[in-house]
Amino acid sequence: MCQHQPPCPSADSADREAARLTAHHPEQGWSLLCNGVLLFEDTGELLPDGQIIAPHRPLETGRIMKAA
């Protein structure tokens, strides 16, 4: 799929989100990566084999929680 040199990470790699964008549609909330992964703005993913990766937003940092 990928014609870049060096090639982008494959869809089954842990770093699959590092692949280059081939289509970007922020008005619809999704982007297509070079490796065939559909990346959604909520950080969910749809892999080329149909596997769904649930949204995985990072936890907020910089907030101090007080003990009750």
Short mmCIF file of all heavy atoms in Angstrom, two decimals:
data_model
loop_
_atom_site.label_atom_id
_atom_site.label_comp_id
_atom_site.label_asym_id
_atom_site.label_seq_id
_atom_site.Cartn_x
_atom_site.Cartn_y
_atom_site.Cartn_z
N MET A 1 0.82 -1.19 0.00
CA MET A 1 0.00 0.00 0.00
C MET A 1 0.87 1.26 0.00
O MET A 1 0.71 2.12 -0.83
CB MET A 1 -0.90 -0.04 1.24
CG MET A 1 -2.18 0.71 1.07
SD MET A 1 -3.25 0.59 2.52
CE MET A 1 -4.32 -0.71 2.01
N CYS A 2 1.78 1.37 0.94
CA CYS A 2 2.61 2.56 1.09
C CYS A 2 3.76 2.57 0.08
O CYS A 2 4.47 1.59 -0.06
CB CYS A 2 3.17 2.63 2.51
SG CYS A 2 4.27 4.02 2.79
N GLN A 3 3.95 3.70 -0.59
CA GLN A 3 5.03 3.85 -1.56
C GLN A 3 6.14 4.76 -1.03
O GLN A 3 7.07 5.08 -1.76
CB GLN A 3 4.47 4.42 -2.87
CG GLN A 3 3.39 3.57 -3.49
CD GLN A 3 3.87 2.18 -3.85
OE1 GLN A 3 4.94 2.01 -4.41
NE2 GLN A 3 3.08 1.18 -3.52
N HIS A 4 6.04 5.21 0.23
CA HIS A 4 7.02 6.12 0.80
C HIS A 4 8.31 5.38 1.15
O HIS A 4 8.30 4.20 1.44
CB HIS A 4 6.47 6.79 2.07
CG HIS A 4 5.23 7.56 1.83
ND1 HIS A 4 4.02 7.19 2.36
CD2 HIS A 4 5.00 8.68 1.10
CE1 HIS A 4 3.11 8.05 1.97
NE2 HIS A 4 3.67 8.95 1.20
N GLN A 5 9.40 6.12 1.17
CA GLN A 5 10.69 5.58 1.61
C GLN A 5 11.23 6.45 2.72
O GLN A 5 11.37 7.65 2.50
CB GLN A 5 11.69 5.53 0.44
CG GLN A 5 11.36 4.49 -0.58
CD GLN A 5 11.31 3.08 -0.02
OE1 GLN A 5 12.10 2.72 0.85
NE2 GLN A 5 10.35 2.30 -0.48
N PRO A 6 11.47 5.97 3.90
CA PRO A 6 11.15 4.62 4.36
C PRO A 6 9.63 4.44 4.44
O PRO A 6 8.90 5.41 4.61
CB PRO A 6 11.80 4.55 5.74
CG PRO A 6 11.85 5.95 6.22
CD PRO A 6 12.02 6.80 4.98
N PRO A 7 9.19 3.20 4.33
CA PRO A 7 7.74 2.96 4.33
C PRO A 7 7.09 3.33 5.66
O PRO A 7 7.72 3.27 6.72
CB PRO A 7 7.61 1.47 4.06
CG PRO A 7 8.96 0.89 4.22
CD PRO A 7 9.96 2.00 4.16
N CYS A 8 5.83 3.71 5.59
CA CYS A 8 5.06 4.04 6.79
C CYS A 8 4.83 2.76 7.60
O CYS A 8 4.85 1.66 7.05
CB CYS A 8 3.72 4.64 6.40
SG CYS A 8 3.85 6.27 5.64
N PRO A 9 4.55 2.90 8.90
CA PRO A 9 4.22 1.72 9.71
C PRO A 9 2.98 1.03 9.17
O PRO A 9 2.06 1.68 8.68
CB PRO A 9 3.94 2.30 11.10
CG PRO A 9 4.51 3.67 11.09
CD PRO A 9 4.53 4.14 9.68
N SER A 10 2.95 -0.28 9.26
CA SER A 10 1.80 -1.03 8.77
C SER A 10 0.61 -0.84 9.70
O SER A 10 0.74 -0.38 10.83
CB SER A 10 2.15 -2.52 8.66
OG SER A 10 2.38 -3.05 9.94
N ALA A 11 -0.55 -1.25 9.22
CA ALA A 11 -1.78 -1.09 9.99
C ALA A 11 -1.79 -1.93 11.26
O ALA A 11 -2.49 -1.61 12.21
CB ALA A 11 -2.99 -1.45 9.13
N ASP A 12 -0.98 -2.99 11.31
CA ASP A 12 -0.95 -3.81 12.51
C ASP A 12 0.22 -3.47 13.44
O ASP A 12 0.42 -4.14 14.45
CB ASP A 12 -0.96 -5.30 12.16
CG ASP A 12 0.19 -5.71 11.26
OD1 ASP A 12 0.94 -4.84 10.80
OD2 ASP A 12 0.32 -6.92 11.01
N SER A 13 0.96 -2.41 13.13
CA SER A 13 2.05 -1.95 14.00
C SER A 13 1.50 -1.12 15.16
O SER A 13 0.45 -0.48 15.04
CB SER A 13 3.01 -1.05 13.22
OG SER A 13 3.63 -1.75 12.20
N ALA A 14 2.22 -1.12 16.25
CA ALA A 14 1.81 -0.32 17.41
C ALA A 14 1.85 1.17 17.08
O ALA A 14 1.07 1.95 17.63
CB ALA A 14 2.72 -0.62 18.60
N ASP A 15 2.73 1.58 16.16
CA ASP A 15 2.84 2.99 15.80
C ASP A 15 2.13 3.32 14.49
O ASP A 15 2.50 4.23 13.76
CB ASP A 15 4.31 3.40 15.73
CG ASP A 15 5.11 2.63 14.70
OD1 ASP A 15 4.62 1.56 14.24
OD2 ASP A 15 6.21 3.06 14.36
N ARG A 16 1.04 2.59 14.19
CA ARG A 16 0.30 2.77 12.94
C ARG A 16 -0.17 4.19 12.69
O ARG A 16 -0.31 4.63 11.57
CB ARG A 16 -0.87 1.81 12.86
CG ARG A 16 -1.93 2.05 13.91
CD ARG A 16 -3.04 1.02 13.81
NE ARG A 16 -3.69 0.89 15.09
CZ ARG A 16 -3.42 -0.07 15.97
NH1 ARG A 16 -2.55 -0.99 15.67
NH2 ARG A 16 -4.02 -0.11 17.12
N GLU A 17 -0.41 4.97 13.76
CA GLU A 17 -0.90 6.34 13.62
C GLU A 17 0.17 7.29 13.08
O GLU A 17 -0.13 8.42 12.72
CB GLU A 17 -1.41 6.86 14.96
CG GLU A 17 -2.63 6.11 15.45
CD GLU A 17 -3.04 6.51 16.85
OE1 GLU A 17 -2.60 7.56 17.34
OE2 GLU A 17 -3.82 5.76 17.45
N ALA A 18 1.42 6.83 12.99
CA ALA A 18 2.51 7.65 12.46
C ALA A 18 2.55 7.65 10.93
O ALA A 18 3.34 8.37 10.34
CB ALA A 18 3.84 7.17 13.03
N ALA A 19 1.69 6.86 10.29
CA ALA A 19 1.66 6.83 8.82
C ALA A 19 1.18 8.19 8.29
O ALA A 19 0.48 8.93 8.98
CB ALA A 19 0.72 5.72 8.34
N ARG A 20 1.55 8.48 7.06
CA ARG A 20 1.18 9.76 6.44
C ARG A 20 -0.30 9.80 6.08
O ARG A 20 -0.92 8.78 5.78
CB ARG A 20 1.99 9.97 5.17
CG ARG A 20 3.45 10.16 5.44
CD ARG A 20 4.15 10.52 4.17
NE ARG A 20 5.60 10.49 4.34
CZ ARG A 20 6.44 10.86 3.41
NH1 ARG A 20 6.00 11.28 2.24
NH2 ARG A 20 7.73 10.82 3.65
N LEU A 21 -0.86 11.01 6.08
CA LEU A 21 -2.25 11.21 5.68
C LEU A 21 -2.38 11.09 4.17
O LEU A 21 -1.55 11.60 3.43
CB LEU A 21 -2.72 12.61 6.08
CG LEU A 21 -2.93 12.89 7.56
CD1 LEU A 21 -3.23 14.37 7.76
CD2 LEU A 21 -4.04 12.04 8.10
N THR A 22 -3.44 10.43 3.73
CA THR A 22 -3.75 10.41 2.30
C THR A 22 -5.02 11.18 2.03
O THR A 22 -5.18 11.71 0.94
CB THR A 22 -3.93 8.97 1.76
OG1 THR A 22 -4.31 8.10 2.78
CG2 THR A 22 -2.72 8.46 1.11
N ALA A 23 -5.90 11.24 3.01
CA ALA A 23 -7.13 12.04 2.91
C ALA A 23 -7.45 12.56 4.30
O ALA A 23 -7.32 11.84 5.28
CB ALA A 23 -8.27 11.19 2.38
N HIS A 24 -7.86 13.83 4.34
CA HIS A 24 -8.16 14.46 5.63
C HIS A 24 -9.49 15.20 5.49
O HIS A 24 -9.62 16.08 4.64
CB HIS A 24 -7.04 15.43 6.00
CG HIS A 24 -7.20 16.09 7.32
ND1 HIS A 24 -7.31 15.38 8.49
CD2 HIS A 24 -7.26 17.40 7.65
CE1 HIS A 24 -7.43 16.24 9.50
NE2 HIS A 24 -7.41 17.45 9.01
N HIS A 25 -10.46 14.82 6.29
CA HIS A 25 -11.79 15.42 6.24
C HIS A 25 -12.22 15.85 7.64
O HIS A 25 -13.07 15.20 8.26
CB HIS A 25 -12.80 14.45 5.63
CG HIS A 25 -12.53 14.17 4.20
ND1 HIS A 25 -12.93 15.02 3.19
CD2 HIS A 25 -11.85 13.17 3.60
CE1 HIS A 25 -12.53 14.53 2.03
NE2 HIS A 25 -11.87 13.41 2.26
N PRO A 26 -11.63 16.94 8.16
CA PRO A 26 -11.96 17.38 9.52
C PRO A 26 -13.43 17.75 9.70
O PRO A 26 -13.98 17.59 10.78
CB PRO A 26 -11.04 18.58 9.74
CG PRO A 26 -10.67 19.05 8.39
CD PRO A 26 -10.69 17.84 7.50
N GLU A 27 -14.07 18.19 8.62
CA GLU A 27 -15.49 18.54 8.72
C GLU A 27 -16.35 17.30 8.96
O GLU A 27 -17.46 17.39 9.47
CB GLU A 27 -15.94 19.28 7.45
CG GLU A 27 -16.08 18.44 6.20
CD GLU A 27 -14.77 18.07 5.49
OE1 GLU A 27 -13.67 18.48 5.94
OE2 GLU A 27 -14.85 17.34 4.49
N GLN A 28 -15.83 16.13 8.61
CA GLN A 28 -16.54 14.87 8.83
C GLN A 28 -15.95 14.08 9.99
O GLN A 28 -16.49 13.05 10.39
CB GLN A 28 -16.51 14.02 7.57
CG GLN A 28 -17.25 14.67 6.42
CD GLN A 28 -17.14 13.85 5.14
OE1 GLN A 28 -16.50 12.81 5.10
NE2 GLN A 28 -17.78 14.34 4.10
N GLY A 29 -14.80 14.54 10.50
CA GLY A 29 -14.20 13.91 11.68
C GLY A 29 -13.34 12.70 11.43
O GLY A 29 -13.14 11.89 12.33
N TRP A 30 -12.78 12.55 10.21
CA TRP A 30 -11.94 11.39 9.95
C TRP A 30 -10.81 11.72 9.00
O TRP A 30 -10.86 12.69 8.26
CB TRP A 30 -12.75 10.22 9.41
CG TRP A 30 -13.41 10.49 8.07
CD1 TRP A 30 -14.64 11.03 7.88
CD2 TRP A 30 -12.86 10.24 6.78
NE1 TRP A 30 -14.91 11.13 6.54
CE2 TRP A 30 -13.83 10.66 5.84
CE3 TRP A 30 -11.66 9.73 6.32
CZ2 TRP A 30 -13.64 10.55 4.46
CZ3 TRP A 30 -11.46 9.62 4.94
CH2 TRP A 30 -12.44 10.03 4.04
N SER A 31 -9.79 10.85 9.05
CA SER A 31 -8.65 10.93 8.14
C SER A 31 -8.28 9.52 7.72
O SER A 31 -8.44 8.57 8.48
CB SER A 31 -7.44 11.56 8.83
OG SER A 31 -7.72 12.88 9.22
N LEU A 32 -7.79 9.39 6.50
CA LEU A 32 -7.30 8.11 5.99
C LEU A 32 -5.79 8.17 5.96
O LEU A 32 -5.20 9.10 5.40
CB LEU A 32 -7.84 7.84 4.59
CG LEU A 32 -7.35 6.57 3.91
CD1 LEU A 32 -7.79 5.33 4.69
CD2 LEU A 32 -7.84 6.51 2.47
N LEU A 33 -5.16 7.19 6.59
CA LEU A 33 -3.70 7.12 6.60
C LEU A 33 -3.21 6.24 5.46
O LEU A 33 -3.95 5.43 4.91
CB LEU A 33 -3.23 6.56 7.95
CG LEU A 33 -3.67 7.34 9.19
CD1 LEU A 33 -3.12 6.68 10.45
CD2 LEU A 33 -3.25 8.79 9.10
N CYS A 34 -1.95 6.40 5.13
CA CYS A 34 -1.32 5.69 4.02
C CYS A 34 -1.40 4.17 4.19
O CYS A 34 -1.45 3.44 3.20
CB CYS A 34 0.13 6.13 3.93
SG CYS A 34 1.06 5.36 2.62
N ASN A 35 -1.45 3.69 5.41
CA ASN A 35 -1.49 2.25 5.66
C ASN A 35 -2.92 1.69 5.65
O ASN A 35 -3.14 0.54 5.98
CB ASN A 35 -0.80 1.92 6.98
CG ASN A 35 -1.35 2.69 8.15
OD1 ASN A 35 -2.39 3.35 8.04
ND2 ASN A 35 -0.66 2.64 9.27
N GLY A 36 -3.90 2.52 5.27
CA GLY A 36 -5.27 2.06 5.17
C GLY A 36 -6.09 2.22 6.43
O GLY A 36 -7.26 1.85 6.46
N VAL A 37 -5.52 2.80 7.48
CA VAL A 37 -6.22 3.00 8.74
C VAL A 37 -7.10 4.25 8.64
O VAL A 37 -6.64 5.30 8.18
CB VAL A 37 -5.23 3.15 9.91
CG1 VAL A 37 -5.94 3.56 11.20
CG2 VAL A 37 -4.45 1.87 10.11
N LEU A 38 -8.36 4.12 9.04
CA LEU A 38 -9.23 5.29 9.19
C LEU A 38 -9.09 5.77 10.62
O LEU A 38 -9.34 5.01 11.56
CB LEU A 38 -10.69 4.92 8.93
CG LEU A 38 -11.16 4.97 7.49
CD1 LEU A 38 -12.57 4.42 7.38
CD2 LEU A 38 -11.09 6.36 6.93
N LEU A 39 -8.68 7.00 10.78
CA LEU A 39 -8.45 7.59 12.09
C LEU A 39 -9.54 8.62 12.33
O LEU A 39 -9.73 9.52 11.52
CB LEU A 39 -7.07 8.24 12.13
CG LEU A 39 -6.62 8.88 13.42
CD1 LEU A 39 -6.52 7.85 14.53
CD2 LEU A 39 -5.27 9.55 13.21
N PHE A 40 -10.27 8.47 13.43
CA PHE A 40 -11.37 9.38 13.74
C PHE A 40 -10.94 10.41 14.76
O PHE A 40 -10.02 10.18 15.55
CB PHE A 40 -12.57 8.58 14.26
CG PHE A 40 -13.11 7.63 13.22
CD1 PHE A 40 -12.72 6.31 13.19
CD2 PHE A 40 -13.97 8.09 12.23
CE1 PHE A 40 -13.19 5.44 12.22
CE2 PHE A 40 -14.45 7.23 11.25
CZ PHE A 40 -14.05 5.90 11.25
N GLU A 41 -11.60 11.57 14.75
CA GLU A 41 -11.18 12.67 15.61
C GLU A 41 -11.30 12.35 17.10
O GLU A 41 -10.64 12.95 17.92
CB GLU A 41 -11.95 13.95 15.29
CG GLU A 41 -13.41 13.92 15.65
CD GLU A 41 -14.14 15.20 15.30
OE1 GLU A 41 -13.58 16.04 14.59
OE2 GLU A 41 -15.27 15.34 15.76
N ASP A 42 -12.12 11.36 17.46
CA ASP A 42 -12.22 10.97 18.86
C ASP A 42 -11.11 9.98 19.25
O ASP A 42 -11.13 9.42 20.32
CB ASP A 42 -13.59 10.38 19.18
CG ASP A 42 -13.85 9.03 18.53
OD1 ASP A 42 -13.02 8.58 17.71
OD2 ASP A 42 -14.88 8.43 18.84
N THR A 43 -10.15 9.76 18.34
CA THR A 43 -9.00 8.86 18.46
C THR A 43 -9.35 7.40 18.27
O THR A 43 -8.49 6.55 18.44
CB THR A 43 -8.18 9.05 19.76
OG1 THR A 43 -8.95 8.60 20.87
CG2 THR A 43 -7.74 10.49 19.94
N GLY A 44 -10.57 7.10 17.87
CA GLY A 44 -10.91 5.73 17.49
C GLY A 44 -10.33 5.43 16.11
O GLY A 44 -9.97 6.34 15.36
N GLU A 45 -10.23 4.16 15.79
CA GLU A 45 -9.65 3.75 14.51
C GLU A 45 -10.43 2.59 13.92
O GLU A 45 -11.00 1.78 14.65
CB GLU A 45 -8.20 3.32 14.70
CG GLU A 45 -7.31 4.39 15.26
CD GLU A 45 -5.93 3.87 15.62
OE1 GLU A 45 -5.50 2.83 15.09
OE2 GLU A 45 -5.28 4.52 16.45
N LEU A 46 -10.41 2.51 12.61
CA LEU A 46 -10.94 1.36 11.88
C LEU A 46 -9.79 0.85 11.02
O LEU A 46 -9.28 1.58 10.16
CB LEU A 46 -12.14 1.75 11.02
CG LEU A 46 -12.77 0.66 10.19
CD1 LEU A 46 -13.30 -0.47 11.07
CD2 LEU A 46 -13.88 1.23 9.33
N LEU A 47 -9.37 -0.38 11.27
CA LEU A 47 -8.26 -0.96 10.54
C LEU A 47 -8.75 -1.56 9.23
O LEU A 47 -9.93 -1.87 9.08
CB LEU A 47 -7.57 -2.03 11.40
CG LEU A 47 -7.06 -1.56 12.77
CD1 LEU A 47 -6.30 -2.70 13.45
CD2 LEU A 47 -6.20 -0.32 12.66
N PRO A 48 -7.84 -1.74 8.26
CA PRO A 48 -8.25 -2.26 6.95
C PRO A 48 -8.93 -3.64 7.02
O PRO A 48 -9.76 -3.95 6.18
CB PRO A 48 -6.94 -2.37 6.18
CG PRO A 48 -6.01 -1.43 6.84
CD PRO A 48 -6.43 -1.39 8.28
N ASP A 49 -8.63 -4.43 8.04
CA ASP A 49 -9.25 -5.75 8.17
C ASP A 49 -10.61 -5.71 8.86
O ASP A 49 -11.23 -6.73 9.10
CB ASP A 49 -8.33 -6.72 8.90
CG ASP A 49 -8.07 -6.35 10.36
OD1 ASP A 49 -8.62 -5.33 10.85
OD2 ASP A 49 -7.31 -7.08 11.02
N GLY A 50 -11.09 -4.49 9.19
CA GLY A 50 -12.39 -4.32 9.83
C GLY A 50 -12.34 -4.26 11.34
O GLY A 50 -13.35 -4.02 11.99
N GLN A 51 -11.17 -4.47 11.92
CA GLN A 51 -11.02 -4.40 13.37
C GLN A 51 -11.23 -2.96 13.84
O GLN A 51 -10.77 -2.02 13.21
CB GLN A 51 -9.64 -4.88 13.79
CG GLN A 51 -9.42 -4.88 15.28
CD GLN A 51 -8.01 -5.34 15.65
OE1 GLN A 51 -7.22 -5.73 14.80
NE2 GLN A 51 -7.71 -5.28 16.91
N ILE A 52 -11.93 -2.81 14.95
CA ILE A 52 -12.21 -1.50 15.53
C ILE A 52 -11.31 -1.28 16.73
O ILE A 52 -11.20 -2.16 17.59
CB ILE A 52 -13.69 -1.39 15.96
CG1 ILE A 52 -14.59 -1.53 14.73
CG2 ILE A 52 -13.95 -0.09 16.71
CD1 ILE A 52 -16.05 -1.70 15.07
N ILE A 53 -10.66 -0.14 16.78
CA ILE A 53 -9.86 0.26 17.93
C ILE A 53 -10.63 1.36 18.64
O ILE A 53 -10.93 2.41 18.04
CB ILE A 53 -8.46 0.78 17.51
CG1 ILE A 53 -7.74 -0.24 16.61
CG2 ILE A 53 -7.64 1.16 18.72
CD1 ILE A 53 -7.42 -1.56 17.26
N ALA A 54 -10.99 1.13 19.88
CA ALA A 54 -11.77 2.10 20.64
C ALA A 54 -10.99 3.39 20.84
O ALA A 54 -9.75 3.38 20.83
CB ALA A 54 -12.14 1.51 22.00
N PRO A 55 -11.69 4.51 21.01
CA PRO A 55 -11.00 5.78 21.27
C PRO A 55 -10.05 5.63 22.45
O PRO A 55 -10.34 4.93 23.42
CB PRO A 55 -12.14 6.74 21.60
CG PRO A 55 -13.32 6.17 20.89
CD PRO A 55 -13.14 4.69 20.97
N HIS A 56 -8.89 6.26 22.33
CA HIS A 56 -7.86 6.16 23.37
C HIS A 56 -7.21 7.51 23.62
O HIS A 56 -6.03 7.68 23.44
CB HIS A 56 -6.82 5.10 22.99
CG HIS A 56 -6.30 5.24 21.59
ND1 HIS A 56 -7.00 4.74 20.51
CD2 HIS A 56 -5.20 5.82 21.09
CE1 HIS A 56 -6.32 5.00 19.41
NE2 HIS A 56 -5.23 5.66 19.73
N ARG A 57 -8.06 8.44 24.02
CA ARG A 57 -7.56 9.78 24.33
C ARG A 57 -6.66 9.71 25.54
O ARG A 57 -6.91 8.96 26.48
CB ARG A 57 -8.72 10.72 24.65
CG ARG A 57 -9.60 10.97 23.47
CD ARG A 57 -10.71 11.91 23.83
NE ARG A 57 -11.58 12.04 22.66
CZ ARG A 57 -12.68 12.73 22.64
NH1 ARG A 57 -13.08 13.35 23.72
NH2 ARG A 57 -13.40 12.81 21.56
N PRO A 58 -5.60 10.52 25.52
CA PRO A 58 -4.72 10.55 26.71
C PRO A 58 -5.45 11.15 27.90
O PRO A 58 -6.35 11.98 27.72
CB PRO A 58 -3.55 11.41 26.28
CG PRO A 58 -4.03 12.17 25.10
CD PRO A 58 -5.15 11.39 24.47
N LEU A 59 -5.09 10.72 29.08
CA LEU A 59 -5.66 11.29 30.28
C LEU A 59 -5.20 12.72 30.42
O LEU A 59 -4.10 13.08 30.00
CB LEU A 59 -5.23 10.48 31.51
CG LEU A 59 -5.71 9.04 31.55
CD1 LEU A 59 -5.10 8.33 32.76
CD2 LEU A 59 -7.23 8.99 31.62
N GLU A 60 -6.05 13.55 31.00
CA GLU A 60 -5.66 14.95 31.21
C GLU A 60 -4.47 15.01 32.15
O GLU A 60 -4.38 14.26 33.12
CB GLU A 60 -6.83 15.72 31.83
CG GLU A 60 -7.96 15.96 30.86
CD GLU A 60 -9.01 16.85 31.47
OE1 GLU A 60 -8.65 17.84 32.13
OE2 GLU A 60 -10.19 16.55 31.28
N THR A 61 -3.57 15.91 31.84
CA THR A 61 -2.41 16.12 32.71
C THR A 61 -2.45 17.53 33.25
O THR A 61 -3.12 18.40 32.70
CB THR A 61 -1.10 15.90 31.95
OG1 THR A 61 -1.06 16.81 30.84
CG2 THR A 61 -0.97 14.48 31.46
N GLY A 62 -1.76 17.74 34.30
CA GLY A 62 -1.71 19.08 34.88
C GLY A 62 -2.82 19.36 35.87
O GLY A 62 -2.86 20.41 36.47
N ARG A 63 -3.72 18.43 36.06
CA ARG A 63 -4.80 18.62 37.04
C ARG A 63 -4.40 17.93 38.32
O ARG A 63 -3.95 16.79 38.33
CB ARG A 63 -6.10 18.02 36.53
CG ARG A 63 -6.71 18.80 35.41
CD ARG A 63 -8.01 18.22 34.99
NE ARG A 63 -9.04 18.51 35.98
CZ ARG A 63 -10.27 18.03 35.94
NH1 ARG A 63 -10.62 17.21 35.01
NH2 ARG A 63 -11.14 18.35 36.87
N ILE A 64 -4.58 18.62 39.39
CA ILE A 64 -4.30 18.05 40.70
C ILE A 64 -5.63 17.69 41.34
O ILE A 64 -6.51 18.53 41.47
CB ILE A 64 -3.53 19.04 41.59
CG1 ILE A 64 -2.20 19.36 40.92
CG2 ILE A 64 -3.35 18.48 42.99
CD1 ILE A 64 -1.43 20.47 41.62
N MET A 65 -5.77 16.44 41.70
CA MET A 65 -7.01 16.01 42.32
C MET A 65 -6.80 15.98 43.84
O MET A 65 -5.82 15.44 44.32
CB MET A 65 -7.41 14.63 41.82
CG MET A 65 -7.68 14.64 40.32
SD MET A 65 -8.37 13.10 39.74
CE MET A 65 -9.99 13.21 40.43
N LYS A 66 -7.72 16.57 44.54
CA LYS A 66 -7.66 16.59 46.00
C LYS A 66 -8.33 15.37 46.57
O LYS A 66 -9.35 14.91 46.06
CB LYS A 66 -8.35 17.84 46.53
CG LYS A 66 -7.65 19.13 46.13
CD LYS A 66 -8.38 20.32 46.70
CE LYS A 66 -7.69 21.61 46.27
NZ LYS A 66 -8.34 22.77 46.79
N ALA A 67 -7.74 14.84 47.59
CA ALA A 67 -8.32 13.69 48.28
C ALA A 67 -9.59 14.14 49.01
O ALA A 67 -9.64 15.22 49.57
CB ALA A 67 -7.32 13.09 49.26
N ALA A 68 -10.59 13.30 49.04
CA ALA A 68 -11.84 13.65 49.69
C ALA A 68 -11.78 13.45 51.19
O ALA A 68 -11.05 12.74 51.74
CB ALA A 68 -12.98 12.81 49.11
#
